Amino acid sequence: MQPVDMPKNSLSQTVYENLLNKFLQNQLVPGNLLNRREIALELGVSVAPVLEALVQLEMEGFVESIPRKGTLVRAVQREDVFGQLMLREAMECQAARLYCGEAVRANRPQLASIAQELEMTLPDTPEHWKLEIAFHGELVALSDCLALVREFNRFIRLGVFYRLNRVIEPDDRLERLSHVQLLDLLTTDDPDRAERAIRDHLRSGK
């Protein structure tokens, strides 16, 4: 198959998204070796955009380069999970300070619909994770801070990858709090109260 005649950046993004989807669908798991030439052949591109995509994925924590071995899907360690949770908490707490109050009240019907559906799904299932990403993504988007939204989207995907590939012991978990109740708390106009609400929620069930 001949390489597709597309801009280089578009090609590397296509490869990146293809591999990312495989990580999030558990088609590629920790320890898998990523053969650059095979990926290029499968997607009909040259090796160059594959290398660019792998560099990006390594920077984001999905893969690692091992000398004389190649590029492997990265093993998920306990410290990775808790580090990711702390960074996510920092981003979402700052976002809550920006969007609390009127923005939440104005968008409450849509948010409430997702929150109620979340309460009806089983925790730690793909459907629950999908809805959780949608709910928290909608909240962060209300901050109107593009950099914050971009970084949140990156970290939330990494969090799903971690959940798929790292079992958290029951003793490590805290009680899971309700998304519906969280929404009520975020209607406050007090940024400090909103920050406390989102922090308590993010730590619940984790």
Side-chain angles (χ1 to χ4, degrees):
M1 188 174 186
Q2 293 296 319
V4 181
D5 186 16
M6 295 172 60
K8 193 174 184 181
N9 289 339
S10 296
L11 285 175
S12 63
Q13 187 64 24
T14 297
V15 176
Y16 168 85
E17 291 175 357
N18 179 275
L19 292 174
L20 181 62
N21 286 334
K22 289 183 178 180
F23 295 143
L24 300 184
Q25 293 171 14
N26 224 28
Q27 295 175 11
L28 289 172
V29 298
N32 284 171
L33 179 65
L34 300 178
N35 186 298
R36 301 165 184 174
R37 295 189 181 281
E38 288 181 2
I39 294 170
L41 184 62
E42 177 187 346
L43 298 179
V45 300
S46 66
V47 174
V50 175
L51 289 173
E52 289 183 6
L54 291 176
V55 168
Q56 183 176 350
L57 289 165
E58 183 169 11
M59 290 176 60
E60 294 182 3
F62 290 96
V63 303
E64 59 183 339
S65 296
I66 307 295
R68 295 185 296 279
K69 255 188 157 181
T71 302
L72 302 176
V73 180
R74 192 167 174 269
V76 180
Q77 305 298 329
R78 179 188 175 92
E79 55 268 27
D80 294 326
V81 177
F82 287 98
Q84 191 271 343
L85 289 173
M86 283 191 291
L87 289 170
R88 178 184 170 186
E89 179 182 301
M91 286 187 285
E92 287 213 53
C93 283
Q94 182 57 47
R97 298 185 67 86
L98 297 172
Y99 66 64
C100 68
E102 179 56 34
V104 177
R105 292 192 291 269
N107 292 274
R108 187 165 183 168
Q110 178 183 352
L111 291 165
S113 177
I114 302 174
Q116 289 164 4
E117 193 173 355
L118 253 171
E119 302 304 301
M120 298 172 64
T121 61
L122 292 174
D124 298 324
T125 60
E127 180 61 23
H128 186 89
W129 296 336
K130 179 180 177 181
L131 289 169
E132 184 178 357
I133 289 172
F135 179 80
H136 287 273
E138 291 282 351
L139 284 175
V140 174
L142 293 179
S143 70
D144 282 332
C145 178
L146 294 179
L148 195 56
V149 171
R150 181 176 60 249
E151 287 305 301
F152 171 79
N153 288 335
R154 182 170 70 85
F155 269 90
I156 199 72
R157 293 194 300 265
L158 187 61
V160 171
F161 173 69
Y162 285 169
R163 290 187 192 188
L164 284 169
N165 294 290
R166 179 75 182 183
V167 176
I168 307 300
E169 297 299 327
D171 289 345
D172 287 336
R173 294 186 183 274
L174 301 175
E175 180 185 358
R176 189 180 301 275
L177 300 180
S178 164
H179 287 81
V180 174
Q181 292 174 355
L182 170 65
L183 195 54
D184 290 336
L185 296 172
L186 291 175
T187 59
T188 179
D189 290 308
D190 183 343
D192 291 333
R193 290 182 62 188
E195 180 178 343
R196 285 195 300 271
I198 197 74
R199 177 179 290 111
D200 290 343
H201 175 82
L202 290 174
R203 292 183 179 183
S204 74
K206 305 297 192 294

